[in-house]
Amino acid sequence: MAQIPDFLAKEDELGISLPLLFESRGYKKYRMSKFEEYSFYSDNRKFLTDDGVIAFNNADGRLMALKPDITLSIVKNAKLSEKLTRLYYNESVFRISNAAKDFREIKQCGIEVLGDIDSYITSEVILLAAKSLEMIDRNYSVSVSHNDIVLSLIDDCDISIADRKRLAGCIGGKNTHDFRRICRECGISDETADKITSLFTIDMPINDAIGRIEALVDTEKTVNALNELKTLCKTLSACGIADKINIDLSVTQHIDYYNGIVFRGYVEKAPAAVLSGGRYDLLARKIRDNIGAIGFAVYLDNLNLYYRKTREYDTDILIINKDSGNTDKLISLANGFCSEGKSVCVEREKPDSYRCRATYIFENGELTEEEKC
Amino acid sequence: MLNIALPKGRLGDKVYNLLANIGYDCSEIYDDNRKLIFRNEKSGVCYLLVKPSDVAIYIAHGAADIGIVGKDILEEDKLDLYELLDLKLGKCNMCVAAPENYIEDLDRPLRVATKFTNIAKNYYLSLNREIEIIKLNGSIEIAPLLGLSDVIVDIVETGTTLRENHLKVYETIMPISARLIANKSSYKFKNAEILDLVTKLEKELAEND
């Protein structure tokens, strides 16, 4: 992989290194327009976060949206090859933050695979997720789950959509006390509530987790989901990253869209997940005929804040130009420093608070080094 | 080192005593000064004293690993956190209260005075009732008495303030108590320390019950 210059901010660094990683596995860049018809997003509103969509009228009077999501757009617009399409993107999405009530541009870099998704593809995607996180911070963790294990048990209970949403909220927050209370209010038996609680509080390394889940699942759907999880875990262990993977069954994604393995990625210095992904055949099939889909996005915004790089020097060399001519010679001298791999800046006067390894004065066609700054 | 955000005030004092009893003491916290950060290397904790309504924000942004906050704040702010324990302290209810002789007029939007605007909106949305929110920051009880609103949505502990202002509980929205919350990333990277504290706290709460 190419050497990334050290001075780049984390976000810029990842904007180069992640595409290189994805290209190395045969993913092709997908570039998209920033605009899409608003109706497309309003039809798939539930797939988006609670944040609002920025809408406006174009010159023809059509209601347009600044792209609030990339996955939806790729599923709708990408030209698919016969068997499998591997794509990556490095784009911004635009949303109205419900909390701050202002417009936000969120930079994302990620992959989408569309077509016949098998266990190899699933493992490849999660391995790429792990490698992406490692590029941010060697101290990373991937929380893997299967959407069908916990959510299918809730689906088996005869409850309203509103109560289902309340219970899903408790699962995501590892909130057992309110989960049990809501179950009692909905007439779900203590036995079922205990079983689901025991499942969604599982958040542990692969080997410990699989045994625990095995003892708790018995329906066809949950057993199939566990088997899928086991196959994945076996591959990830063989790849030597088992210590970076946690089975965390509180990780769930919207059940109308996601139908299999789902995952989130954390790095030590960021307070929230910086990567999110999963299998979303159900969404893909709402838009395209009979295809499977899996992918993830890395959220690049704020990484510069958590992984701040401080530069010791503005440039290696500062040349103070006190000459009125000799421009050719000055440029040649500056080029000389650059060809030695040094950064150089030429100024008429030394700027305030300028930091450099060495300062030179250029006067009467001669370059002389000043004392260290 | 675990960074723990404690709410300033009575609830924070109660929770600190609970944590000190299970080995997370930091006696400096009792010193009469204006410090807001207290560290005890020996017990491996650093307490941050913050405004109760800000605890969850500190946790969500990773400025603290865990914290104690009222369920009212969690429901109002809806931040992405883990809610690990119900400490069963500071118990009260989020209620709709109205004047003692109040009769609801269903022919117009209900005027609701509250500082919990999201809780009120979500509650009435679930009832499909059109409302007009009047956001207040304190002394909510006087709003219906002055004709500013029809009802209020607020926390009711004993009901004394309501009675003294000739109001009564009209509907109960949800029970409220103090909750132990954790930052999601801290939960991954300081898992053993957080689980150790949760286990000890659960045991202490069971013994106190």
Side-chain angles (χ1 to χ4, degrees):
Chain A
M1 196 146 301
Q3 187 69 37
I4 308 293
D6 205 31
F7 60 81
L8 286 181
K10 199 72 181 174
E11 190 183 306
D12 299 331
E13 178 192 312
L14 291 163
I16 299 170
S17 59
L18 291 176
L20 286 174
L21 170 70
F22 303 147
E23 291 265 0
S24 74
R25 291 303 185 107
Y27 288 74
K28 299 273 176 280
K29 180 155 188 180
Y30 187 82
R31 190 180 289 277
M32 59 195 90
S33 154
K34 288 189 168 46
F35 315 110
E36 184 98 45
E37 286 213 46
Y38 179 81
S39 60
F40 175 58
Y41 296 109
S42 57
D43 290 346
N44 295 286
R45 191 74 191 82
K46 280 193 282 181
F47 184 72
L48 305 173
T49 65
D50 287 340
D51 288 344
V53 176
I54 303 170
F56 60 96
N57 285 99
N58 74 357
D60 303 332
R62 275 187 305 165
L63 190 58
M64 304 295 287
L66 265 172
K67 212 165 283 271
D69 183 80
I70 292 165
T71 302
L72 272 172
S73 187
I74 288 184
V75 173
K76 178 180 170 233
N77 301 315
K79 189 169 181 294
L80 301 183
S81 53
E82 212 169 287
K83 287 278 180 200
L84 206 61
T85 306
R86 286 179 167 94
L87 299 168
Y88 76 89
Y89 56 84
N90 188 9
E91 299 276 344
S92 289
V93 295
F94 303 88
R95 295 176 189 157
I96 302 171
S97 158
N98 266 349
K101 306 281 180 216
D102 59 6
F103 297 158
R104 293 169 65 211
E105 177 181 358
I106 304 160
K107 288 190 177 165
Q108 294 185 358
C109 188
I111 58 171
E112 309 292 352
V113 189
L114 304 165
D116 188 10
I117 309 298
D118 58 14
S119 61
Y120 173 79
I121 295 296
T122 307
S123 305
E124 178 184 286
V125 167
I126 295 185
L127 273 171
L128 283 171
K131 281 181 184 295
S132 302
L133 291 167
E134 195 180 17
M135 285 175 166
I136 302 171
D137 189 332
R138 285 182 186 281
N139 204 1
Y140 72 91
S141 172
V142 189
S143 295
V144 180
S145 178
H146 194 298
N147 230 27
D148 289 347
I149 295 182
V150 174
L151 294 185
S152 74
L153 293 177
I154 293 183
D155 275 355
D156 292 344
C157 306
D158 185 22
I159 55 172
S160 69
I161 292 170
D163 287 334
R164 206 181 164 288
K165 202 175 166 191
R166 288 164 74 202
L167 290 177
C170 293
I171 292 168
K174 295 188 192 292
N175 177 346
T176 56
H177 39 276
D178 285 329
F179 185 87
R180 287 200 172 92
R181 179 178 57 81
I182 297 167
C183 281
R184 278 194 295 276
E185 287 170 15
C186 298
I188 297 172
S189 71
D190 285 352
E191 193 191 350
T192 305
D194 286 345
K195 187 176 173 179
I196 301 174
T197 305
S198 303
L199 280 166
F200 77 73
T201 48
I202 289 175
D203 184 351
M204 54 188 69
I206 290 173
N207 291 338
D208 302 332
I210 295 293
R212 289 272 288 269
I213 301 169
E214 233 157 15
L216 289 162
V217 297
D218 48 16
T219 65
E220 191 187 343
K221 204 167 183 181
T222 53
V223 170
N224 287 343
L226 174 62
N227 287 337
E228 206 181 320
L229 204 54
K230 276 160 92 174
T231 308
L232 173 70
C233 290
K234 202 170 149 226
T235 312
L236 297 177
S237 298
C239 294
I241 58 163
D243 61 322
K244 297 291 185 189
I245 308 288
N246 251 26
I247 303 296
D248 177 359
L249 295 188
S250 74
V251 173
T252 56
Q253 301 270 31
H254 204 297
I255 202 157
D256 288 348
Y257 302 98
Y258 289 87
N259 59 308
I261 300 288
V262 288
F263 50 94
R264 294 225 173 92
Y266 295 86
V267 286
E268 195 179 20
K269 288 184 185 170
V274 294
L275 180 149
S276 175
R279 180 92 183 252
Y280 56 91
D281 297 0
L282 301 179
L283 168 75
R285 286 170 193 165
K286 277 176 197 280
I287 301 167
R288 310 284 281 247
D289 282 342
N290 201 28
I291 59 163
I294 187 168
F296 67 79
V298 182
Y299 310 119
L300 300 177
D301 52 324
N302 288 335
L303 285 179
N304 286 353
L305 177 68
Y306 306 129
Y307 292 88
R308 213 172 289 176
K309 286 186 181 176
T310 47
R311 294 177 66 164
E312 204 178 344
Y313 298 107
D314 295 305
T315 55
D316 294 317
I317 308 293
L318 173 68
I319 301 175
I320 311 293
N321 181 14
K322 293 191 172 172
D323 211 322
S324 51
N326 294 308
T327 306
D328 295 355
K329 188 165 184 191
L330 179 57
I331 286 186
S332 162
L333 287 164
N335 286 346
F337 283 121
C338 288
S339 59
E340 288 169 19
K342 292 172 180 163
S343 55
V344 59
C345 181
V346 178
E347 294 281 355
R348 280 285 175 192
E349 281 176 16
K350 187 175 178 182
D352 290 342
S353 315
Y354 200 87
R355 298 160 307 159
C356 57
R357 289 179 199 276
T359 307
Y360 287 83
I361 308 290
F362 183 69
E363 200 166 17
N364 300 324
E366 296 299 324
L367 196 66
T368 46
E369 187 174 358
E370 216 186 28
E371 76 281 5
K372 298 276 178 204
C373 32
Chain B
M1 176 76 67
L2 266 184
N3 295 315
I4 306 176
L6 282 182
K8 281 196 267 187
R10 256 189 316 166
L11 177 62
D13 294 344
K14 275 187 192 173
V15 174
Y16 170 72
N17 289 333
L18 203 58
L19 290 168
N21 280 346
I22 57 170
Y24 299 92
D25 61 301
C26 185
S27 52
E28 200 193 342
I29 216 164
Y30 289 120
D31 292 352
D32 187 18
N33 58 38
R34 288 175 181 234
K35 274 176 73 176
L36 298 171
I37 301 177
F38 301 90
R39 196 182 295 268
N40 186 345
E41 299 287 342
K42 205 173 151 201
S43 8
V45 284
C46 175
Y47 288 105
L48 320 172
L49 295 188
V50 303
K51 196 174 170 183
S53 56
D54 290 340
V55 169
I57 297 168
Y58 277 80
I59 306 294
H61 287 82
D65 302 308
I66 58 170
I68 286 82
V69 63
K71 182 69 178 172
D72 50 327
I73 307 292
L74 293 177
E75 281 297 316
E76 181 64 16
D77 292 348
K78 292 275 183 203
L79 296 167
D80 191 23
L81 303 157
Y82 288 138
E83 189 183 319
L84 301 175
L85 276 181
D86 180 354
L87 302 182
K88 299 190 171 77
L89 296 171
K91 281 186 177 179
C92 52
N93 286 304
M94 181 65 69
C95 295
V96 178
E100 285 162 351
N101 57 356
Y102 174 67
I103 297 167
E104 188 173 347
D105 180 357
L106 295 168
D107 207 25
R108 62 172 173 81
L110 188 70
R111 291 173 307 149
V112 183
T114 185
K115 64 176 171 184
F116 299 101
T117 55
N118 293 328
I119 292 176
K121 275 182 207 164
N122 290 335
Y123 175 67
Y124 284 106
L125 189 66
S126 75
L127 301 177
N128 199 23
R129 177 77 165 100
E130 195 181 349
I131 61 166
E132 181 193 326
I133 292 271
I134 295 150
K135 161 94 170 134
L136 294 177
N137 296 305
S139 303
I140 318 286
E141 292 83 0
I142 62 170
L145 306 178
L146 300 174
L148 185 62
S149 73
D150 300 310
V151 297
I152 63 169
V153 167
D154 205 6
I155 288 170
V156 179
E157 197 172 345
T158 60
T160 308
T161 315
L162 290 185
R163 277 192 299 277
E164 286 179 0
N165 287 288
H166 307 291
L167 301 175
K168 64 172 184 180
V169 171
Y170 192 62
E171 284 150 344
T172 299
I173 299 177
M174 69 177 88
I176 304 291
S177 54
R179 309 294 164 99
L180 176 74
I181 56 172
N183 172 270
K184 287 195 169 181
S185 190
S186 299
Y187 192 84
K188 306 291 170 193
F189 296 102
K190 294 186 179 178
N191 189 260
E193 287 163 271
I194 293 175
L195 287 186
D196 188 37
L197 181 141
V198 170
T199 310
K200 286 175 182 165
L201 203 48
E202 269 179 320
K203 200 170 157 223
E204 179 75 5
L205 288 168
E207 280 170 12
N208 289 353
D209 224 7

